[in-house]
Amino acid sequence: MALRPLSRSWPLLGALLLASPLQAQTAATVAAQTQARDYAIEPGPLSTVLSRFAGEAGLLLSADGELTRGKQSPGLRGRYTVPAGLEQLLEGSGLRYRLTDDGGLTLEPVGEGHTLAPVAVTGTAQSRYESRYADSALRLPKDVADVPRSLDVIPEQLLLDQQSRELAEVFRLAPNVTVSDGYGGTREHAVVRGFARNDNFYRNGVPFVTDSRIDPATVDSIQILKGPVADIGRMAPSGLINIQTKQPSFQRQGSLSTAFDEHGQRRFTADTTGPVAGSDTFAYRVTGSLEDSETFRDTNVDRKFLSSSLLWQTPSGFRLSVNHEYSEDQREIDRGLVTVPVGGDRRRVADVDRDARYDGNVKNERDEHYQLVQIDNLLPLGGSGWDLDSTLFYSREGGDDVRAEVVNVSDSGVLTRRMGSNENRERRSVFLRSQLIGSLPTTLPVDLAAGVEYRRETHEWENYTGALQTGGTVNDPDAFDLVNDIGTPQNGLYFDTEVQSQGVFALADVALLPSLTATLGLRYEVFETDFHRRDLLAGGVTDARSGDQNKLTKGLGLMWSVTRDLNLYFNYADTFEPQSIFIGQTRVAEADPREGRQYEVGAKWHLLDDRHFLTVSLFDLEEDNVVQFENGEPVLNGGQTSQGAEVSLVSNPVDGFNLRAAVGVVDAEQVTNDDDDGNRPANVPTTTASLWASYEFQTAARPLRGLGLGGGVSYAGDRYGDSAGSFEMDGYTVLDVGAWYYLPLSQRERLRFDVGVKNLADEEYYSASGGSYRISVGNPRTVFGGVKLEF
């Protein structure tokens, strides 16, 4: 996992644009040019390689296209400053670079002087939807094309063009990725390759277990790492989702933005970064947001978010970054619609308006807040070429909620409901990691990352439930007034759980041949789980402890560079997850950890001068030791299998036109000892597909310069709503369209105006299910807008 804290120079107005004429961004400050970072750029046409370099380094240049026509570059691999990187890229090209007094960057033939004026770019980067470098999703930094596994990287630009309200709107752009109920829409909960997990989210390479939503304001990219990773070890077999947050930059820039829609979204975001007092060693970033919104289901969202970061970096390569994040998220738990019986064990979703509510006169409430601190340190060990990379992470989260929930619907449609609450909830997480990263002087070149990790998570809360209340019907739920009796509960329990683990790991890239690389991963982990439950009304106590357990996970990846543009890969890895201790009515189940593995083969192909990036993969997943409940008792009775295929394309066929397309198919089955054996898991469609495309007028001579048009479609097939397959949710197709316009105000300032419509055809659909009485409803047709000032 991305364990190396890497710098990301943020482009001022876009990436380098090299064609005819060749364009790129205005030069960075001297501080930014002395900031070293890692690059993994393949050899190729000089124009293409320089575009890649500029996009990652944050450069904006101007040059005549004839200067690079027909020229090649050796590419760039390793850690470089901007000047050192340019020297490597231009080696043997007959060109040189020159920095002007005003910070401009000039390309000129060797022996000539040919100064180029800065160019004011109205649009954005050419490779608008491609992110080739996963800053924190990999221990050993490399181009995504060189990673022997499927890795979907979704850049922030897509969130901006789609005006995404939540991350769930972006997940659907990746193949075989959907969402689950997420505790009434209050948590992140993704389903990847048929496996549902709400705790396999990472933040900047660190496990981030949260019961809250992740604020889009902090997102730089979303990195979906498919399948298990042996050197990470503790994770779901489907992989993990890593959120790369915005980092400090030595290039001064900022933005203020608003977003709104017809149903009541009202959101404000601010972001600023740059050097501290003109320093060339200290940089900062502050990102914040405020939201006071409503949804079409008449639920409220009140969110406050603030992230502050400070970076200290020296020319020697030493880096120390400190990030503090605070989030306060108040929103209603929305259990959505319910199902009704239709005979036998079959059910169907009730035929009611999609804004129907079943919490009656009692308003569901939830208040969640967290604070976290992450400290990353990169220490070069002299001139050895080795770095000591260390990370310390601590988070503390608290919250309360109260809700009215449907627990039964009779054959005649009469509702039985109950009040419930979680109170005084507190979750704490501690994560420590220290690793060495470098190369070994062996016969076969070896890049190695090896280290140790410590992880501890505690979670305690009080749970109360009220008496059953029968009255009201599916079509008229408000005919009966619910009583909020949570102050005099029928049941009250206190829970205290802890999971603690220590692991040692190693990951090595071994160059077996110039065109063949093997990736080897190992991890040995020792862990234990503790459980304490106390009946707050009757006074009974239950304690359980797993004792020390251990697990060795291992993996192998092979990457074969068939040509400069085509890579074929294979990977195998196994993984595990410690399980909580499950308490039933009469017994305790101290379950062994879930154990999973994956086989995957695939191809990554660059087409037509690097303008198209195609990924194709086939996978086979399996997980054992899955605990399920029968009549309220925990039973270790099976697992799950998943086989499928995925195709993804990121394309920039002509200047200004960009698209992302993906198709995924999956055959997932439950392996149990009961009637559910062979059923497809809940919320898993057999087919998903998505397409998002945009065109932005960027040629200076055109009167429409700065205008962008975008649109996309996403599809998910039929899904079961529960593990028994008692009811289905129909497949859906959602069409979104949007437009934006950049209005330059000065050389450094511009306004962006957004307008668009989500779900243009007003498709009625169900986005997820949490069970028979928890059907999440998809958003109807929604007109949205936004304004953003960049400076």
Side-chain angles (χ1 to χ4, degrees):
M1 188 64 242
L3 308 176
R4 190 171 195 173
L6 302 173
S7 64
R8 175 186 289 271
S9 294
W10 185 263
L12 177 60
L13 296 178
L16 177 68
L17 311 180
L18 281 170
S20 292
L22 191 66
Q23 298 178 333
Q25 290 185 323
T26 54
T29 63
V30 174
Q33 294 157 8
T34 59
Q35 180 180 357
R37 62 157 296 163
D38 294 271
Y39 297 93
I41 303 176
E42 294 293 334
L46 182 58
S47 61
T48 300
V49 173
L50 284 174
S51 292
R52 289 279 313 284
F53 178 79
E56 296 182 15
L59 299 176
L60 181 58
L61 314 177
S62 171
D64 187 345
E66 292 298 324
L67 291 177
T68 59
R69 190 177 303 280
K71 298 181 183 295
Q72 298 290 312
S73 170
L76 195 67
R77 285 183 176 274
R79 194 171 188 83
Y80 293 87
T81 62
V82 167
L86 285 170
E87 290 177 4
Q88 175 72 15
L89 293 176
L90 298 176
E91 181 180 356
S93 68
L95 300 174
R96 66 183 181 186
Y97 73 90
R98 182 163 58 85
L99 301 176
T100 61
D101 292 339
D102 61 358
L105 182 58
T106 298
L107 287 181
E108 58 187 26
V110 174
E112 299 182 22
H114 184 71
T115 303
L116 300 172
V119 175
V121 177
T122 303
T124 47
Q126 288 290 12
S127 299
R128 189 182 186 91
Y129 302 140
E130 180 182 18
S131 185
R132 296 277 296 273
Y133 194 82
D135 278 13
S136 63
L138 305 168
R139 292 192 193 275
L140 295 172
K142 62 178 71 175
D143 192 306
V144 168
D146 297 327
V147 179
R149 64 173 56 252
S150 180
L151 175 56
D152 297 314
V153 182
I154 302 174
E156 183 205 13
Q157 188 67 50
L158 266 173
L159 279 73
L160 177 62
D161 289 354
Q162 292 188 318
Q163 289 288 294
S164 300
R165 183 172 188 159
E166 300 288 355
L167 299 190
E169 298 178 41
V170 186
F171 293 156
R172 64 188 183 188
L173 294 174
N176 287 325
V177 179
T178 56
V179 296
S180 191
D181 168 68
Y183 195 55
T186 63
R187 303 173 183 169
E188 306 293 354
H189 196 169
V191 182
V192 182
R193 289 183 170 177
F195 291 84
R197 294 287 190 275
N198 66 349
D199 57 354
N200 270 273
F201 281 83
Y202 278 56
R203 177 189 179 278
N204 297 331
V206 172
F208 184 40
V209 181
T210 176
D211 293 314
S212 186
R213 287 286 196 177
I214 297 174
D215 198 298
T218 192
V219 175
D220 182 73
S221 68
I222 300 170
Q223 303 160 6
I224 305 177
L225 196 63
K226 300 289 188 65
V229 182
D231 49 284
I232 296 176
R234 180 178 162 185
M235 59 187 296
S238 57
L240 58 86
I241 297 176
N242 180 57
I243 306 300
Q244 177 68 33
T245 66
K246 298 175 182 178
Q247 302 296 310
S249 170
F250 286 91
Q251 178 132 351
R252 191 176 302 281
Q253 60 184 354
S255 67
L256 300 172
S257 64
T258 62
F260 43 88
D261 68 27
E262 64 174 296
H263 299 299
Q265 181 191 23
R266 301 293 183 266
R267 179 175 170 82
F268 172 78
T269 303
D271 180 38
T272 181
T273 186
V276 177
S279 169
D280 59 358
T281 56
F282 290 94
Y284 73 93
R285 187 156 208 146
V286 178
T287 303
S289 70
L290 295 171
E291 182 172 0
D292 185 4
S293 298
E294 295 182 359
T295 74
F296 80 98
R297 288 182 52 78
D298 197 29
T299 61
N300 297 312
V301 177
D302 184 0
R303 179 156 59 180
K304 301 177 180 66
F305 173 82
L306 180 64
S307 175
S308 304
S309 301
L310 181 64
L311 169 66
W312 176 26
Q313 179 168 298
T314 68
S316 66
F318 172 84
R319 283 173 52 87
L320 177 65
S321 63
V322 180
N323 171 233
H324 173 264
E325 193 169 285
Y326 172 78
S327 174
E328 182 178 314
D329 192 332
Q330 297 175 328
R331 66 178 72 206
E332 297 172 52
I333 300 172
D334 182 8
R335 289 302 195 186
L337 304 185
V338 299
T339 64
V340 296
V342 293
D345 295 329
R346 299 295 300 168
R347 310 184 69 86
R348 64 170 174 82
V349 181
D351 184 14
V352 296
D353 292 339
R354 52 185 163 182
D355 60 353
R357 298 287 298 269
Y358 290 95
D359 40 21
N361 56 299
V362 177
K363 189 174 182 179
N364 291 353
E365 296 179 340
R366 172 188 165 278
D367 182 0
E368 196 74 20
H369 54 274
Y370 72 76
Q371 295 194 62
L372 64 82
V373 176
Q374 182 169 341
I375 303 174
D376 294 307
N377 176 233
L378 186 69
L379 177 65
L381 301 179
S384 65
W386 287 79
D387 296 332
L388 178 63
D389 173 19
S390 301
T391 296
L392 168 62
F393 175 88
Y394 174 79
S395 68
R396 180 176 179 178
E397 181 173 7
D400 301 276
D401 67 66
V402 60
R403 64 205 179 277
E405 295 183 327
V406 177
V407 296
N408 187 59
V409 177
S410 72
D411 291 343
S412 60
V414 176
L415 301 172
T416 298
R417 290 172 281 187
R418 181 176 62 188
M419 295 299 302
S421 71
N422 291 301
E423 301 179 10
N424 300 317
R425 192 176 56 77
E426 185 169 272
R427 183 190 294 274
R428 290 189 179 95
S429 297
V430 177
F431 179 83
L432 302 169
R433 175 179 55 232
S434 186
Q435 64 180 350
L436 286 171
I437 302 176
S439 299
L440 295 175
T442 54
T443 303
L444 296 176
V446 177
D447 293 331
L448 178 68
V452 295
E453 289 180 350
Y454 170 78
R455 183 175 174 181
R456 180 173 180 265
E457 297 163 6
T458 61
H459 189 197
E460 58 180 307
W461 72 101
E462 298 169 9
N463 176 261
Y464 298 95
T465 57
L468 298 178
Q469 303 181 51
T470 300
T473 65
V474 170
N475 293 307
D476 189 9
D478 294 335
F480 177 83
D481 286 337
L482 288 172
V483 176
N484 187 351
D485 61 351
I486 205 67
T488 56
Q490 297 292 302
N491 299 285
L493 297 172
Y494 167 77
F495 296 91
D496 186 0
T497 67
E498 177 180 334
V499 180
Q500 187 172 215
S501 62
Q502 305 89 35
V504 56
F505 62 86
L507 176 71
D509 279 351
V510 183
L512 303 177
L513 297 170
S515 61
L516 181 63
T517 301
T519 299
L520 306 173
L522 287 173
R523 184 184 186 98
Y524 180 76
E525 188 140 359
V526 178
F527 57 94
E528 66 176 348
T529 58
D530 292 280
F531 181 96
H532 172 77
R533 185 186 70 179
R534 183 172 71 253
D535 191 317
L536 297 174
L537 303 182
V541 173
T542 302
D543 288 300
R545 171 173 292 183
S546 68
D548 286 344
Q549 296 180 291
N550 60 79
K551 178 66 179 178
L552 175 67
T553 52
K554 51 199 176 299
L556 168 66
L558 294 173
M559 176 63 74
W560 177 28
S561 298
V562 181
T563 68
R564 185 184 68 84
D565 298 322
L566 175 62
N567 291 340
L568 303 180
Y569 71 88
F570 161 83
N571 73 64
Y572 166 84
D574 52 27
T575 187
F576 78 103
E577 283 188 290
Q579 300 204 74
S580 296
I581 297 172
F582 298 90
I583 305 296
Q585 298 299 318
T586 61
R587 70 174 185 266
V588 175
E590 298 184 21
D592 291 333
R594 295 175 184 245
E595 298 187 13
R597 60 96 181 131
Q598 171 180 268
Y599 292 98
E600 182 183 25
V601 296
K604 301 184 179 184
W605 195 7
H606 291 100
L607 304 167
L608 301 178
D609 199 21
D610 218 24
R611 282 186 175 268
H612 312 275
F613 183 43
L614 178 69
T615 302
V616 180
S617 64
L618 302 172
F619 60 87
D620 185 320
L621 286 163
E622 182 179 283
E623 185 177 38
D624 299 320
N625 298 335
V626 176
V627 171
Q628 295 184 346
F629 279 81
E630 295 178 3
N631 300 317
E633 297 298 340
V635 178
L636 183 64
N637 65 349
Q640 183 178 326
T641 63
S642 177
Q643 298 85 37
E646 297 171 351
V647 179
S648 299
L649 174 67
V650 183
S651 180
N652 172 218
V654 297
D655 291 350
F657 180 58
N658 287 268
L659 65 85
R660 287 182 67 106
V663 176
V665 293
V666 63
D667 179 16
E669 292 186 356
Q670 299 176 100
V671 181
T672 67
N673 299 326
D674 55 25
D675 293 339
D676 296 341
D677 188 70
N679 285 355
R680 193 177 353 139
N683 293 304
V684 179
T686 56
T687 304
T688 59
S690 65
L691 170 67
W692 178 269
S694 67
Y695 182 77
E696 190 173 270
F697 296 88
Q698 296 180 330
T699 304
R702 293 187 178 181
L704 296 178
R705 182 187 185 193
L707 175 65
L709 304 172
V713 60
S714 59
Y715 167 79
D718 296 347
R719 296 141 294 147
Y720 286 121
D722 58 8
S723 60
S726 66
F727 69 98
E728 295 184 25
M729 299 179 293
D730 292 337
Y732 62 86
T733 302
V734 176
L735 174 64
D736 301 332
V737 295
W740 57 87
Y741 178 71
Y742 286 100
L743 176 64
L745 302 179
S746 68
Q747 185 70 30
R748 292 181 55 86
E749 298 177 348
R750 63 179 181 175
L751 280 171
R752 171 175 165 140
F753 299 92
D754 280 89
V755 65
V757 183
K758 297 182 180 181
N759 194 2
L760 182 65
D762 200 24
E763 174 95 344
E764 295 191 23
Y765 67 100
Y766 309 114
S767 57
S769 169
S772 300
Y773 312 115
R774 303 175 180 185
I775 315 299
S776 301
V777 185
N779 292 324
R781 180 189 296 118
T782 304
V783 178
F784 67 84
V787 180
K788 183 177 184 181
L789 171 64
E790 299 178 356
F791 54 88

